Amino acid sequence: MDLFAQHTRLFFRMTSALTTVILCALIVTSLSGCLDIPNAPSDDRKIESISVYIEQKGIHDSLDLKMHPSDSATLNVLVQPQKFKNELSFEWLRQSPIKNDSSTFTSLGSGTKYGISPNTPSLFIPDLLVATDKRGNRKEINIHVILNARPQMDSVTVPAAGDTLYGDVNTSFLFKWNSSDPDDFNEGLPSYRVIFDDTAFELGNLNNIYQAGFLPGKHTFSIIVTDAYGDSDTLPARKFYVLDTLGDTDK
């Protein structure tokens, strides 16, 4: 083999080795923010996902982390695969804006759970979870806890419970009601469902309607109000009576 061929082969080996080193360095750099628990090469130690769900009164809500502010709740960490959960450390933080429009974080606690007491101010509810592995790699999980109180139906309605309405099956009677929302933020208009006897009607945000079709005698109506986050309140069924124009009634 001539000297040129030897030099060419040596240069190729050196180039391949250098390329391998560069690629390895790039891979290590790109994974420095990932969580990778080291173990034997034959065991897959990759963490697939880390998420947070909320538990309140025994109900798990992982869709939008909604809680009622008047009740206690617990934020929980969910790790997939679950067997790696105890090999990570977790810190719960709250982001607070400061004057120069940047942000600072306040540590609220650590561990796989964070308890929230009734009527806790939002400043003491985490909006960031930081997970750290044994190598010091970190992963940040943003949290948005929705504090939403249930709407409340007012007790005053038209007709009132026990009222007698005069007309016949073709007479349109006025039904009117109202509701309130304890939340101090604008979450959109509530939606209503009215139930006459055993028939329900979706009304959108209407809080009064004219309805006909009632035969003489006893009837009931109830109202269900639902807010933008799915919380609702029900006005219990109220009796009313229809007396036809001839004075015939069946109570």
Side-chain angles (χ1 to χ4, degrees):
M1 181 182 298
D2 59 27
L3 185 60
F4 176 80
Q6 293 181 14
H7 285 174
T8 301
R9 179 167 297 180
L10 178 60
F11 176 78
F12 175 79
R13 289 176 179 174
M14 292 177 64
T15 303
S16 299
L18 180 59
T19 302
T20 301
V21 171
I22 293 174
L23 286 175
C24 289
L26 289 175
I27 292 173
V28 170
T29 301
S30 64
L31 295 179
S32 62
C34 302
L35 299 178
D36 181 12
I37 301 175
N39 200 7
S42 61
D43 187 13
D44 183 6
R45 304 284 286 178
K46 297 289 185 181
I47 294 176
E48 297 174 2
S49 66
I50 300 175
S51 58
V52 175
Y53 68 91
I54 197 166
E55 181 177 1
Q56 189 168 42
K57 289 188 173 181
I59 300 175
H60 293 186
D61 185 356
S62 59
L63 181 62
D64 54 13
L65 298 182
K66 180 185 65 179
M67 65 169 286
H68 301 133
S70 59
D71 300 325
S72 60
T74 303
L75 294 174
N76 299 270
V77 177
L78 179 63
V79 177
Q80 295 292 349
Q82 297 184 15
K83 62 182 179 179
F84 299 145
K85 183 175 181 178
N86 294 331
E87 301 185 43
L88 300 171
S89 61
F90 302 95
E91 185 178 13
W92 305 91
L93 301 105
R94 179 70 188 188
Q95 180 177 238
S96 301
I98 56 179
K99 293 182 179 179
N100 60 2
D101 294 331
S102 63
S103 299
T104 183
F105 290 89
T106 301
S107 177
L108 299 179
S110 59
T112 59
K113 297 177 179 290
Y114 184 84
I116 303 174
S117 302
N119 301 314
T120 295
S122 58
L123 287 176
F124 297 100
I125 297 177
D127 58 9
L128 183 70
L129 173 69
V130 176
T132 307
D133 65 13
K134 294 181 179 179
R135 288 183 171 180
N137 297 317
R138 291 161 49 94
K139 181 176 179 62
E140 296 183 352
I141 299 94
N142 291 314
I143 305 169
H144 178 49
V145 177
I146 299 171
L147 299 175
N148 186 63
R150 297 178 181 89
Q152 298 175 356
M153 285 296 306
D154 294 346
S155 60
V156 177
T157 61
V158 176
D163 276 0
T164 298
L165 308 181
Y166 297 91
D168 58 24
V169 70
N170 297 312
T171 304
S172 294
F173 300 114
L174 172 64
F175 293 84
K176 187 176 181 179
W177 58 87
N178 276 298
S179 66
S180 59
D181 196 326
D183 294 318
D184 58 358
F185 57 89
N186 182 14
E187 61 173 24
L189 295 174
S191 61
Y192 296 101
R193 171 188 289 186
V194 61
I195 303 173
F196 291 117
D197 298 328
D198 296 322
T199 304
F201 300 90
E202 301 291 341
L203 302 178
N205 56 24
L206 294 176
N207 68 343
N208 67 89
I209 60 170
Y210 284 89
Q211 182 67 31
F214 297 104
L215 294 172
K218 182 178 68 175
H219 298 274
T220 61
F221 77 99
S222 62
I223 308 293
I224 301 173
V225 58
T226 304
D227 67 15
Y229 291 111
D231 288 316
S232 62
D233 186 34
T234 301
L235 179 75
R238 296 190 163 193
K239 298 178 183 179
F240 65 97
Y241 302 89
V242 174
L243 184 66
D244 70 19
T245 55
L246 298 179
D248 185 21
T249 183
D250 179 15
K251 294 187 180 183

Short mmCIF file of all heavy atoms in Angstrom, two decimals, residues 161-183:
data_model
loop_
_atom_site.label_atom_id
_atom_site.label_comp_id
_atom_site.label_asym_id
_atom_site.label_seq_id
_atom_site.Cartn_x
_atom_site.Cartn_y
_atom_site.Cartn_z
N ALA A 161 -94.04 30.14 43.01
CA ALA A 161 -94.53 28.81 43.36
C ALA A 161 -95.98 28.89 43.81
O ALA A 161 -96.35 29.70 44.66
CB ALA A 161 -93.67 28.21 44.45
N GLY A 162 -96.84 28.04 43.22
CA GLY A 162 -98.24 27.97 43.60
C GLY A 162 -99.15 28.94 42.87
O GLY A 162 -100.36 28.95 43.13
N ASP A 163 -98.61 29.76 41.97
CA ASP A 163 -99.45 30.73 41.24
C ASP A 163 -100.45 30.03 40.33
O ASP A 163 -100.21 28.91 39.83
CB ASP A 163 -98.58 31.66 40.40
CG ASP A 163 -98.04 32.83 41.20
OD1 ASP A 163 -98.35 32.91 42.41
OD2 ASP A 163 -97.30 33.65 40.62
N THR A 164 -101.57 30.71 40.11
CA THR A 164 -102.56 30.27 39.13
C THR A 164 -102.52 31.19 37.92
O THR A 164 -102.56 32.42 38.07
CB THR A 164 -103.97 30.28 39.74
OG1 THR A 164 -104.02 29.35 40.84
CG2 THR A 164 -105.01 29.86 38.71
N LEU A 165 -102.42 30.59 36.74
CA LEU A 165 -102.35 31.33 35.50
C LEU A 165 -103.67 31.13 34.75
O LEU A 165 -104.15 29.99 34.62
CB LEU A 165 -101.17 30.85 34.64
CG LEU A 165 -99.80 30.82 35.33
CD1 LEU A 165 -98.73 30.34 34.35
CD2 LEU A 165 -99.43 32.17 35.91
N TYR A 166 -104.25 32.22 34.27
CA TYR A 166 -105.56 32.17 33.64
C TYR A 166 -105.41 32.21 32.12
O TYR A 166 -104.78 33.11 31.57
CB TYR A 166 -106.44 33.32 34.12
CG TYR A 166 -106.73 33.24 35.61
CD1 TYR A 166 -105.89 33.88 36.52
CD2 TYR A 166 -107.82 32.53 36.08
CE1 TYR A 166 -106.14 33.80 37.88
CE2 TYR A 166 -108.08 32.44 37.45
CZ TYR A 166 -107.24 33.08 38.35
OH TYR A 166 -107.49 32.99 39.68
N GLY A 167 -105.97 31.21 31.47
CA GLY A 167 -105.92 31.12 30.02
C GLY A 167 -106.23 29.72 29.58
O GLY A 167 -106.71 28.90 30.36
N ASP A 168 -105.93 29.42 28.34
CA ASP A 168 -106.14 28.07 27.83
C ASP A 168 -104.86 27.59 27.16
O ASP A 168 -103.80 28.20 27.30
CB ASP A 168 -107.34 28.01 26.89
CG ASP A 168 -107.20 28.96 25.70
OD1 ASP A 168 -106.05 29.31 25.35
OD2 ASP A 168 -108.23 29.37 25.13
N VAL A 169 -104.97 26.49 26.43
CA VAL A 169 -103.78 25.86 25.84
C VAL A 169 -103.08 26.77 24.84
O VAL A 169 -101.90 26.60 24.53
CB VAL A 169 -104.17 24.51 25.20
CG1 VAL A 169 -105.01 24.73 23.95
CG2 VAL A 169 -102.94 23.67 24.89
N ASN A 170 -103.78 27.75 24.32
CA ASN A 170 -103.20 28.66 23.33
C ASN A 170 -102.62 29.93 23.95
O ASN A 170 -102.07 30.76 23.23
CB ASN A 170 -104.26 29.04 22.30
CG ASN A 170 -104.75 27.84 21.51
OD1 ASN A 170 -103.94 27.05 21.03
ND2 ASN A 170 -106.07 27.69 21.39
N THR A 171 -102.76 30.09 25.26
CA THR A 171 -102.28 31.31 25.92
C THR A 171 -100.78 31.20 26.20
O THR A 171 -100.30 30.19 26.73
CB THR A 171 -103.04 31.53 27.24
OG1 THR A 171 -104.44 31.58 26.99
CG2 THR A 171 -102.59 32.82 27.90
N SER A 172 -100.07 32.26 25.86
CA SER A 172 -98.62 32.31 26.15
C SER A 172 -98.41 32.97 27.51
O SER A 172 -98.78 34.14 27.69
CB SER A 172 -97.88 33.09 25.05
OG SER A 172 -97.95 32.41 23.82
N PHE A 173 -97.81 32.22 28.43
CA PHE A 173 -97.56 32.73 29.77
C PHE A 173 -96.08 33.15 29.90
O PHE A 173 -95.19 32.51 29.33
CB PHE A 173 -97.87 31.67 30.83
CG PHE A 173 -99.30 31.21 30.82
CD1 PHE A 173 -99.63 29.91 30.46
CD2 PHE A 173 -100.32 32.09 31.16
CE1 PHE A 173 -100.94 29.48 30.45
CE2 PHE A 173 -101.64 31.68 31.17
CZ PHE A 173 -101.96 30.37 30.81
N LEU A 174 -95.86 34.20 30.69
CA LEU A 174 -94.49 34.67 30.92
C LEU A 174 -93.84 33.86 32.02
O LEU A 174 -94.40 33.68 33.10
CB LEU A 174 -94.50 36.15 31.32
CG LEU A 174 -93.15 36.73 31.76
CD1 LEU A 174 -92.15 36.72 30.61
CD2 LEU A 174 -93.34 38.15 32.32
N PHE A 175 -92.60 33.38 31.74
CA PHE A 175 -91.75 32.73 32.73
C PHE A 175 -90.45 33.53 32.80
O PHE A 175 -89.80 33.76 31.78
CB PHE A 175 -91.47 31.27 32.36
CG PHE A 175 -92.69 30.40 32.41
CD1 PHE A 175 -93.56 30.33 31.33
CD2 PHE A 175 -92.97 29.65 33.55
CE1 PHE A 175 -94.69 29.54 31.36
CE2 PHE A 175 -94.10 28.85 33.60
CZ PHE A 175 -94.97 28.80 32.51
N LYS A 176 -90.09 33.92 34.03
CA LYS A 176 -88.93 34.80 34.19
C LYS A 176 -88.16 34.40 35.44
O LYS A 176 -88.75 34.02 36.46
CB LYS A 176 -89.39 36.26 34.30
CG LYS A 176 -88.27 37.28 34.31
CD LYS A 176 -88.84 38.70 34.31
CE LYS A 176 -87.74 39.74 34.28
NZ LYS A 176 -88.30 41.13 34.27
N TRP A 177 -86.83 34.53 35.38
CA TRP A 177 -85.97 34.15 36.50
C TRP A 177 -84.65 34.89 36.38
O TRP A 177 -84.35 35.53 35.37
CB TRP A 177 -85.73 32.64 36.47
CG TRP A 177 -85.11 32.20 35.17
CD1 TRP A 177 -83.79 32.15 34.85
CD2 TRP A 177 -85.82 31.80 34.00
NE1 TRP A 177 -83.62 31.75 33.56
CE2 TRP A 177 -84.85 31.51 33.01
CE3 TRP A 177 -87.17 31.66 33.67
CZ2 TRP A 177 -85.19 31.09 31.73
CZ3 TRP A 177 -87.51 31.23 32.40
CH2 TRP A 177 -86.53 30.94 31.44
N ASN A 178 -83.82 34.77 37.41
CA ASN A 178 -82.48 35.38 37.40
C ASN A 178 -81.52 34.50 38.17
O ASN A 178 -81.93 33.63 38.96
CB ASN A 178 -82.50 36.78 38.00
CG ASN A 178 -82.91 37.85 36.99
OD1 ASN A 178 -82.24 38.05 35.98
ND2 ASN A 178 -84.03 38.51 37.26
N SER A 179 -80.25 34.75 37.95
CA SER A 179 -79.20 34.04 38.68
C SER A 179 -78.07 35.00 38.99
O SER A 179 -78.00 36.11 38.44
CB SER A 179 -78.67 32.85 37.87
OG SER A 179 -78.00 33.31 36.70
N SER A 180 -77.19 34.60 39.88
CA SER A 180 -76.01 35.40 40.22
C SER A 180 -74.78 34.52 40.21
O SER A 180 -74.88 33.28 40.28
CB SER A 180 -76.18 36.06 41.60
OG SER A 180 -76.37 35.07 42.59
N ASP A 181 -73.61 35.16 40.12
CA ASP A 181 -72.35 34.43 40.09
C ASP A 181 -71.41 35.06 41.11
O ASP A 181 -71.09 36.25 41.01
CB ASP A 181 -71.73 34.47 38.70
CG ASP A 181 -70.64 33.44 38.50
OD1 ASP A 181 -69.92 33.17 39.48
OD2 ASP A 181 -70.50 32.91 37.39
N PRO A 182 -70.94 34.29 42.09
CA PRO A 182 -70.06 34.85 43.13
C PRO A 182 -68.69 35.28 42.63
O PRO A 182 -67.98 36.01 43.33
CB PRO A 182 -69.93 33.70 44.14
CG PRO A 182 -71.03 32.75 43.81
CD PRO A 182 -71.27 32.89 42.35
N ASP A 183 -68.28 34.81 41.46
CA ASP A 183 -66.94 35.14 40.96
C ASP A 183 -66.83 36.63 40.67
O ASP A 183 -67.77 37.25 40.18
CB ASP A 183 -66.63 34.35 39.69
CG ASP A 183 -66.53 32.87 39.96
OD1 ASP A 183 -65.95 32.50 40.99
OD2 ASP A 183 -67.06 32.09 39.15
#
